[in-house]
Amino acid sequence: MAGLLRKSLCALALSLALAPAGNAATLVEPTLHLKPEGGGGRVALTLDACGGKTDTRILSALVDNRIPATIFVTGIWLKRNVAAVEIMRAHPDLFELENHGGRHIPAVDTPRKIYGISSAGSPDAVQAEVESGAAALASFGGPAPRWFRGATAEYSPSAIATIRKLGFKIAGFSVNGDGGSLLGAKETARRIAAAKDGDVIIAHINQPTHSAGEGVVQGLLALKQKGMTFVRLDDAEDVGNDGTTD
């Protein structure tokens, strides 16, 4: 009997250990591209404002050089960066503010961690994260958000379906510009400057002490010098995989 109990406990432990691996296999990191339009090259710059402060190096460069951008903001960041939000709202031709969630929680409806961040963990929690982010944006006025990007930009397929039912397109990307704001300035600039027609760039605007911010500015100015046109997500037709935009 004792041996049988030990075997049962070992089997239970093994099943629990394997469960996260199974969940990990189901996560997707969607891509997003702009549809070809002809003429010169076009790219979409998307910047995540997860929490923390505002990288004024990037914000100032966008305003001074008239570079449009789609900014994905959390409820946390909005509360802490009212002055930056006012600047963005004062330039509606440049900035499109979209939904990055209420509390920067990954849109994964099973319990696990992604890059050390605990997931929403259930369908109801995914819905709460999306809806609280939209409500936070509504409290600041301006157009209602149409796009959502979850924390870590990874999703469970069933969470994607939930978000789509709530009426949001999900913003993937094709160029990871700053590696979560952890890359150095040189590598960040190289990645962004290498963007091609139809690319959607992701970087961060909430880490003013990271050297990646300097690289974001350098890369964007290099693209502008090449004659690349910048568009916001709502200003161009796009195509995303994994059922994120169709």
Side-chain angles (χ1 to χ4, degrees), residues 226-246:
K226 292 178 184 177
M228 195 70 76
T229 299
F230 294 90
V231 298
R232 302 174 304 182
L233 291 184
D234 267 355
D235 296 332
E237 287 192 87
D238 46 71
V239 57
N241 64 350
D242 296 305
T244 52
T245 62
D246 53 10

Side-chain angles (χ1 to χ4, degrees), residues 47-56 58 71-82 84-85 88 98-105 117 129 149-152 178 180-181 203-210:
L47 295 169
D48 288 0
C50 312
K53 299 182 180 180
T54 303
D55 193 330
T56 55
I58 299 174
I71 315 294
F72 284 89
V73 298
T74 66
I76 297 169
W77 185 88
L78 284 169
K79 291 178 181 178
R80 298 174 179 172
N81 294 271
V82 174
V85 175
M88 293 176 186
E98 297 291 351
N99 186 356
H100 197 32
R103 295 165 48 208
H104 199 248
I105 298 173
I117 305 175
E129 171 71 357
R149 175 180 285 155
T152 75
D178 64 358
S181 194
H204 292 75
I205 195 170
N206 67 307
Q207 296 289 355
T209 64
H210 291 193

Side-chain angles (χ1 to χ4, degrees), residues 172-195:
F173 56 92
S174 59
V175 174
N176 185 339
D178 64 358
S181 194
L182 298 177
L183 295 176
K186 184 176 180 180
E187 176 61 14
T188 298
R190 186 195 67 78
R191 289 188 179 195
I192 292 176

